[in-house]
Amino acid sequence: MRDLDFNPNNLPKDVLEALGLITACSAHSDYVIESGIAGCLGVNIEYGSAVTTHMTTPHRKDVFLAAAELRIDDVHILIHLEDLLDELVDALKVRNGYVHNSPAIDRSTNETFMIRTEARGSVDVSLIPLSVEVILRDAQRIYKAGISLYGLLDKLGLLPKIPDGVRPNRTHKDKAARKKIRKSRRDRG
């Protein structure tokens, strides 16, 4: 029986750095998909993010392809876009294996593992050896998939504008302000 330590603070520094790279590459790739949707819709990234931020990756893929089909007339470019997007979505599934499972270190051997739990119809718990080399390879796969899609969007002129500077103060109309006004109205009867 292994003596596993699940405290992430005790993981080796190189493992933590590699897991951080997975996260950063994934965030960038998610941003590329959101940018593609905004670019195909002809809106800036702020408007695009208002729509895409809480979408799941499969939903973003479907919306991206629908918007691209409206924007792009060349079927060969659409096929290439879809291939790049398929690779990116597959790479992001790899990310899920890192961020939805728990890393641990064996106190006696200093080996690192990922405890993978699947519960779709039945429960399966696996102890998967974790190596920095594999994590870095997966991070690069995610990054390359995202940057390839980004390159195509740039080539097609479909990267959305990013607003300049700090946005004006909108606290007078944000969610908290609207909630306060509703409460005030209810209290007045």
Side-chain angles (χ1 to χ4, degrees):
M1 184 90 170
R2 292 189 178 273
D3 181 20
L4 297 176
D5 178 357
F6 289 93
N7 183 343
N9 295 296
N10 296 333
L11 290 171
K13 184 178 179 184
D14 59 346
V15 171
L16 288 173
E17 288 174 357
L19 291 172
L21 185 60
I22 283 275
T23 304
C25 290
S26 298
H28 175 261
S29 292
D30 282 333
Y31 174 79
V32 171
I33 295 171
E34 290 180 11
S35 295
I37 293 169
C40 286
L41 293 175
V43 298
N44 73 25
I45 193 64
E46 187 175 37
Y47 281 89
S49 294
V51 175
T52 62
T53 296
H54 295 289
M55 287 180 181
T56 63
T57 300
H59 189 189
R60 283 183 186 149
K61 176 186 173 189
D62 290 342
V63 170
F64 192 165
L65 291 173
E69 186 179 305
L70 294 171
R71 176 68 64 180
I72 300 168
D73 288 327
D74 187 322
V75 69
H76 301 289
I77 292 174
L78 284 170
I79 290 168
H80 182 54
L81 173 75
E82 190 168 11
D83 290 343
L84 291 174
L85 199 50
D86 285 344
E87 169 54 23
L88 181 50
V89 169
D90 286 345
L92 289 172
K93 287 178 187 172
V94 171
R95 173 259 325 256
N96 292 345
Y98 291 100
V99 299
H100 295 295
N101 293 299
S102 185
I105 187 167
D106 185 314
R107 287 185 180 105
S108 59
T109 66
N110 286 329
E111 294 172 285
T112 53
F113 296 92
M114 186 69 69
I115 309 307
R116 184 179 65 201
T117 305
E118 294 183 36
R120 304 214 185 248
S122 64
V123 177
D124 180 32
V125 178
S126 304
L127 186 65
I128 311 293
L130 197 58
S131 75
V132 171
E133 294 77 23
V134 171
I135 300 169
L136 293 175
R137 184 196 67 215
D138 290 341
Q140 288 311 304
R141 177 181 177 201
I142 294 166
Y143 175 74
K144 287 171 75 175
I147 205 67
S148 294
L149 181 58
Y150 184 90
L152 179 62
L153 294 172
D154 187 29
K155 180 180 172 184
L156 297 173
L158 291 176
L159 291 174
K161 300 264 187 266
I162 299 172
D164 294 330
V166 177
R167 291 282 298 147
N169 184 336
R170 298 183 299 210
T171 57
H172 68 287
K173 61 181 182 177
D174 67 7
K175 185 178 178 179
R178 295 189 311 270
K179 184 177 179 180
K180 185 176 178 181
I181 291 168
R182 281 191 193 99
K183 183 181 180 322
S184 174
R185 287 180 183 167
R186 281 192 303 272
D187 291 347
R188 287 193 308 238

Coordinates of all heavy atoms in Angstrom, one line a residue, residues 19 31 34 36 45 47 80 86 97 104-105 107 111 121 129 134 136 143 146 149 189:
L19 N 2.6 21.5 -14.5 CA 1.2 21.6 -14.4 C 0.7 23.1 -14.6 O -0.3 23.3 -15.2 CB 0.7 21.1 -13.0 CG 0.9 19.6 -12.8 CD1 0.6 19.3 -11.3 CD2 0.0 18.8 -13.7
Y31 N -8.8 31.1 -25.1 CA -8.9 32.4 -25.6 C -8.9 32.5 -27.1 O -9.6 33.3 -27.7 CB -7.7 33.3 -25.0 CG -7.7 34.7 -25.6 CD1 -8.5 35.7 -25.1 CD2 -6.8 35.0 -26.6 CE1 -8.5 36.9 -25.6 CE2 -6.7 36.3 -27.1 CZ -7.6 37.2 -26.6 OH -7.5 38.5 -27.1
E34 N -12.3 31.6 -28.3 CA -13.2 32.7 -28.0 C -13.0 33.8 -29.1 O -13.9 34.4 -29.6 CB -13.1 33.2 -26.6 CG -13.6 32.3 -25.6 CD -13.5 32.8 -24.1 OE1 -13.1 34.0 -24.0 OE2 -13.7 32.0 -23.2
G36 N -11.8 33.4 -32.1 CA -12.3 33.0 -33.4 C -13.8 33.2 -33.5 O -14.3 33.7 -34.5
I45 N -13.4 41.5 -28.8 CA -13.2 40.4 -27.9 C -14.1 40.6 -26.7 O -14.6 39.6 -26.1 CB -11.7 40.2 -27.5 CG1 -11.5 38.8 -26.8 CG2 -11.2 41.3 -26.7 CD1 -11.9 37.6 -27.6
Y47 N -17.2 41.9 -26.5 CA -18.5 41.5 -26.8 C -18.5 40.0 -27.0 O -19.5 39.3 -26.6 CB -19.0 42.2 -28.1 CG -19.5 43.6 -27.9 CD1 -18.7 44.7 -27.9 CD2 -20.9 43.8 -27.6 CE1 -19.1 46.0 -27.7 CE2 -21.3 45.1 -27.3 CZ -20.5 46.2 -27.4 OH -20.9 47.4 -27.1
H80 N -10.0 23.1 -43.2 CA -8.7 23.3 -42.5 C -9.0 23.8 -41.1 O -8.5 23.3 -40.1 CB -7.8 24.2 -43.3 CG -6.5 24.4 -42.6 ND1 -5.6 23.4 -42.3 CD2 -5.9 25.6 -42.3 CE1 -4.6 23.9 -41.7 NE2 -4.7 25.2 -41.7
D86 N -10.7 20.6 -34.3 CA -10.8 19.2 -33.8 C -9.5 18.9 -33.0 O -9.6 18.3 -31.9 CB -10.9 18.2 -34.9 CG -12.3 18.2 -35.5 OD1 -13.3 18.7 -34.9 OD2 -12.5 17.7 -36.6
G97 N -7.7 15.9 -18.0 CA -7.1 14.9 -17.2 C -6.2 15.4 -16.1 O -6.0 14.7 -15.0
A104 N -0.5 13.4 -6.6 CA -0.1 13.0 -5.3 C 1.4 12.6 -5.4 O 1.9 12.3 -6.5 CB -0.9 11.8 -4.8
I105 N 2.1 12.6 -4.3 CA 3.4 12.1 -4.2 C 3.5 11.0 -3.2 O 2.9 11.0 -2.2 CB 4.4 13.3 -3.9 CG1 5.9 12.8 -4.0 CG2 4.1 13.9 -2.5 CD1 6.9 13.9 -3.9
R107 N 5.2 9.3 -0.4 CA 6.1 9.8 0.6 C 7.4 8.9 0.7 O 8.5 9.4 1.0 CB 5.4 9.8 1.9 CG 4.4 10.9 2.1 CD 3.9 11.0 3.5 NE 2.9 12.0 3.7 CZ 1.6 11.8 3.7 NH1 1.1 10.6 3.6 NH2 0.8 12.9 3.9
E111 N 7.9 9.4 -5.9 CA 7.3 9.3 -7.2 C 6.0 10.1 -7.2 O 5.3 10.2 -6.2 CB 6.9 7.8 -7.6 CG 8.1 6.9 -7.8 CD 7.6 5.5 -7.9 OE1 7.2 4.9 -6.9 OE2 7.7 5.0 -9.1
G121 N -21.4 5.4 -15.2 CA -22.0 4.1 -15.2 C -21.4 3.2 -14.2 O -22.1 2.4 -13.6
P129 N 1.2 7.0 -13.2 CA 2.5 7.7 -12.9 C 2.5 9.0 -13.7 O 2.0 9.1 -14.8 CB 3.5 6.7 -13.5 CG 2.8 5.4 -13.6 CD 1.3 5.7 -13.8
V134 N 6.1 14.0 -19.8 CA 4.8 13.8 -20.4 C 3.9 15.1 -20.2 O 3.2 15.5 -21.1 CB 4.1 12.6 -19.7 CG1 2.7 12.5 -20.2 CG2 4.9 11.3 -20.1
L136 N 4.9 18.2 -19.9 CA 5.4 19.2 -20.9 C 5.1 18.9 -22.3 O 4.7 19.8 -23.1 CB 7.0 19.3 -20.7 CG 7.4 19.9 -19.4 CD1 9.0 19.9 -19.3 CD2 6.9 21.3 -19.2
Y143 N -0.5 24.0 -26.6 CA -0.1 25.3 -27.1 C 0.0 25.3 -28.7 O -0.5 26.2 -29.3 CB 1.3 25.6 -26.6 CG 1.8 26.9 -27.2 CD1 1.3 28.1 -26.8 CD2 2.8 26.8 -28.2 CE1 1.8 29.3 -27.4 CE2 3.3 28.0 -28.8 CZ 2.8 29.2 -28.4 OH 3.2 30.3 -29.0
G146 N -3.4 25.5 -30.2 CA -4.0 26.8 -30.1 C -3.3 27.8 -31.0 O -4.0 28.6 -31.7
L149 N -4.3 27.4 -34.7 CA -5.6 28.1 -35.0 C -5.5 29.6 -35.0 O -6.0 30.2 -35.9 CB -6.6 27.6 -34.0 CG -8.0 28.1 -34.1 CD1 -8.6 27.8 -35.5 CD2 -8.9 27.6 -33.0
G189 N -42.4 48.0 -2.0 CA -43.6 47.4 -2.2 C -44.2 47.6 -3.5 O -45.1 47.5 -4.1

